[in-house]
Amino acid sequence: MGCWNKLCGLKAGIGAGIAVAILGIILIPVGNNIIRETVTKESVIEPGTTAWDNWVSADAPVYRQFWLFDVQNPQDVVENGSKPKLVEKGPYTYKTRYLPKENITANPEDYTISFLLPAGAIFEPSMSVGSEEDSVTSLNLAVAVRHSPLSHVTLSLNNVSLFQRRTVREILWGYKDPILKGTLGLFFPYNGTYDGPYSVFTGKDDISKVSIIDSWKVSFWNNTYCDMINGTDGSSFSPFLDKKKPLYFFSPDISRSVSAEYERSLDLKGIEVYRFKLPTLTLASPAVNPDNQCFCTDYVVTKNCTLAGVLDISSSRGQPVYISLPHFLHGSPYLVEDVEGLGPSEEHHVTFLDVEPTTGFSLRFAKRLQVNMMYGPSKIITVLKKVKDYTILPIVWLNETASLDDETADRFKKELLSRVDMLETVQFTLIGLGSAALVLCTVAHCLVSRNNKLV
């Protein structure tokens, strides 16, 4: 009788193990739905959500590091048409994006929200190699502007140097030019200005559209395809990322949309993130990437649109500015060969985003761009008469970067990811306990049954 009681107990244990394991399995879709609903709710851009708190303010410090190119042989370039010899000086670091969004206006009829993004830059001496007053020999911006096909300046530049010595502050943020009688600077005007207006989707009606830009001031390319705004601003994406699909984001610095592709998974302060990088085709020549055809606006400088690695944004900046990756990474070989002192590096010069896959939040990024200007042969401008060919000259490259700090990482894990981890722990614990009980009770049942037969 005792053996039969044992068998009954073991059968009950087997049943309980099956029930617990089934419960754990049932909780997988239930738990996944709970996780999805929680993350979806917190990802909508509206007051009271995690996304709203991160979106409105600028808690994580964003820094722009600048490396300026110092021309070592300016006289030799002018008199003999020699290649410019460049030495990189930097970084000179500024804190940016520290101001919260302004003029935030909800548009419930189409589930969008509009705003202005104020611009500001504060010099950070502790993160810089020197002072803003350090001087650099660089291209005379007045000559570049006068030489540009966009120029309407009629002043003579016969007594003006091709290169000039200016401070870091002047080159970046502006100085009064005695020839053009105006202010010139690579990023002038900046402080006190606004980017936008922007209009982005809140994700309230469709979470897959959250943070996607609906509109941004005006178009520049005069082409429907090139003027399309695809994706977000890069700070966040829709939740539950699929690593097989590229991320799209719009960059106002280059007035165009780009994509990023998954490279690998990383651990960032105990949080798994997906690293997405710009593909090599981003700035490829139209011959390689036909989608870039409408970005080719100057057939002379681009050698009939065969030039790779450079984007002419003169029309949007009003100056002959050409954007590339630092040191002409992924660009046509002759861009590097036309000057001396460059060394393209995938590690140091590529743009990347580290995105948390469940929420779609960018927790670390590095946007790396190079600002170049062009000079070339001229029968009118004296200092350009001995120049042999058009040269796209690097002026400065920048690394705009940010990463969540320890406090934010802990809060992120506690408020959001801990819920996900808890549900997953409950699911797998139940499955594990149920499976273990099932196996143990089944084995014991077999042994008891065999012993009963022997007796």
Side-chain angles (χ1 to χ4, degrees):
M1 188 71 180
C3 290
W4 288 110
N5 288 335
K6 288 182 180 179
L7 288 174
C8 291
L10 291 172
K11 287 180 180 180
I14 292 173
I18 294 173
V20 171
I22 291 175
L23 178 60
I25 294 172
I26 292 174
L27 279 178
I28 291 178
V30 174
N32 288 342
N33 287 336
I34 294 174
I35 292 170
R36 185 170 289 273
E37 290 176 5
T38 300
V39 172
T40 298
K41 180 181 178 181
E42 291 299 318
S43 297
V44 175
I45 304 176
E46 64 178 2
T49 67
T50 302
W52 175 266
D53 295 337
N54 293 331
W55 182 81
V56 172
S57 62
D59 290 336
V62 178
Y63 296 99
R64 273 197 177 189
Q65 301 170 297
F66 295 94
W67 286 262
L68 289 84
F69 292 98
D70 191 16
V71 181
Q72 304 295 295
N73 61 334
Q75 188 173 350
D76 197 23
V77 174
V78 173
E79 294 180 356
N80 303 312
S82 301
K83 295 180 181 181
K85 295 181 180 179
L86 308 178
V87 171
E88 188 180 272
K89 296 183 67 174
Y92 295 91
T93 305
Y94 294 80
K95 183 179 180 181
T96 60
R97 294 201 208 174
Y98 55 88
L99 298 170
K101 295 176 175 65
E102 295 185 11
N103 289 12
I104 298 175
T105 305
N107 309 303
E109 65 280 359
D110 60 359
Y111 300 101
T112 63
I113 191 166
S114 57
F115 61 94
L116 290 172
L117 191 62
I122 301 174
F123 185 60
E124 294 285 351
S126 63
M127 301 173 67
S128 304
V129 297
S131 163
E132 283 186 295
E133 305 309 315
D134 290 353
S135 58
V136 176
T137 298
S138 188
L139 184 67
N140 189 335
L141 301 187
V143 175
V145 170
R146 175 65 182 86
H147 186 257
S148 169
L150 297 175
S151 175
H152 302 291
V153 179
T154 57
L155 296 173
S156 172
L157 296 179
N158 292 334
N159 297 318
V160 177
S161 299
L162 178 58
F163 300 98
Q164 61 179 345
R165 197 80 175 162
R166 290 283 180 182
T167 66
V168 171
R169 184 204 300 269
E170 289 175 327
I171 293 173
L172 296 179
W173 311 115
Y175 60 91
K176 294 291 183 180
D177 184 78
I179 302 298
L180 299 184
K181 309 298 182 183
T183 302
L184 294 178
L186 295 179
F187 300 95
F188 175 83
Y190 193 79
N191 282 337
T193 64
Y194 293 86
D195 182 23
Y198 284 89
S199 176
V200 303
F201 290 101
T202 64
K204 182 72 173 179
D205 63 325
D206 182 356
I207 198 60
S208 68
K209 296 167 62 177
V210 66
S211 296
I212 290 178
I213 300 173
D214 180 45
S215 64
W216 174 74
K217 48 183 179 184
V218 295
S219 60
F220 292 105
W221 300 104
N222 297 318
N223 181 282
T224 303
Y225 180 80
C226 281
D227 280 323
M228 289 178 62
I229 298 178
N230 296 320
T232 73
D233 65 355
S235 61
S236 64
F237 300 89
S238 61
F240 310 106
L241 295 184
D242 182 350
K243 64 178 69 174
K244 296 180 181 179
K245 296 180 180 180
L247 298 180
Y248 292 91
F249 60 98
F250 176 77
S251 174
D253 293 311
I254 59 176
S255 304
R256 65 163 286 186
S257 300
V258 295
S259 65
E261 297 178 346
Y262 172 81
E263 183 196 43
R264 66 184 188 275
S265 297
L266 299 168
D267 182 277
L268 176 62
K269 299 184 184 298
I271 302 170
E272 183 189 22
V273 294
Y274 290 172
R275 171 155 294 185
F276 286 81
K277 292 171 60 176
L278 291 187
T280 56
L281 289 178
T282 301
L283 296 178
S285 72
V288 176
N289 183 4
D291 289 341
N292 285 339
Q293 182 63 55
C294 52
F295 294 114
C296 180
T297 57
D298 189 325
Y299 288 83
V300 176
V301 175
T302 62
K303 301 184 187 297
N304 292 323
C305 296
T306 61
L307 175 64
V310 173
L311 179 68
D312 182 357
I313 62 168
S314 302
S315 59
S316 64
R317 291 296 300 272
Q319 300 181 49
V321 174
Y322 300 82
I323 296 295
S324 69
L325 294 180
H327 290 238
F328 294 125
L329 178 67
H330 302 155
S332 296
Y334 67 81
L335 290 170
V336 178
E337 295 166 358
D338 283 349
V339 296
E340 296 181 13
L342 299 183
S345 165
E346 185 79 18
E347 178 183 358
H348 296 106
H349 300 144
V350 77
T351 290
F352 69 82
L353 301 165
D354 289 342
V355 187
E356 198 285 311
T358 302
T359 61
F361 294 161
S362 294
L363 302 185
R364 178 172 59 191
F365 71 87
K367 180 176 69 177
R368 292 154 174 170
L369 298 172
Q370 182 169 289
V371 179
N372 313 276
M373 299 189 83
M374 186 268 295
Y375 68 89
S378 174
K379 296 179 180 179
I380 301 174
I381 303 176
T382 302
V383 294
L384 296 176
K385 288 184 177 181
K386 292 186 179 181
V387 172
K388 300 173 183 178
D389 198 358
Y390 290 97
T391 298
I392 297 179
L393 185 70
I395 309 297
V396 62
W397 76 270
L398 64 90
N399 176 27
E400 183 173 280
T401 183
S403 178
L404 83 167
D405 55 26
D406 293 336
E407 181 181 351
T408 305
D410 291 340
R411 186 170 67 249
F412 184 85
K413 288 184 286 188
K414 179 181 178 181
E415 294 180 358
L416 201 57
L417 297 186
S418 61
R419 304 177 191 177
V420 176
D421 293 339
M422 182 182 68
L423 284 170
E424 290 180 346
T425 300
V426 171
Q427 292 167 6
F428 290 112
T429 298
L430 290 174
I431 293 173
L433 289 174
S435 299
L438 173 62
V439 171
L440 292 173
C441 289
T442 300
V443 171
H445 184 276
C446 292
L447 291 174
V448 171
S449 298
R450 189 175 63 178
N451 289 334
N452 286 345
K453 291 180 180 179
L454 291 175
V455 172

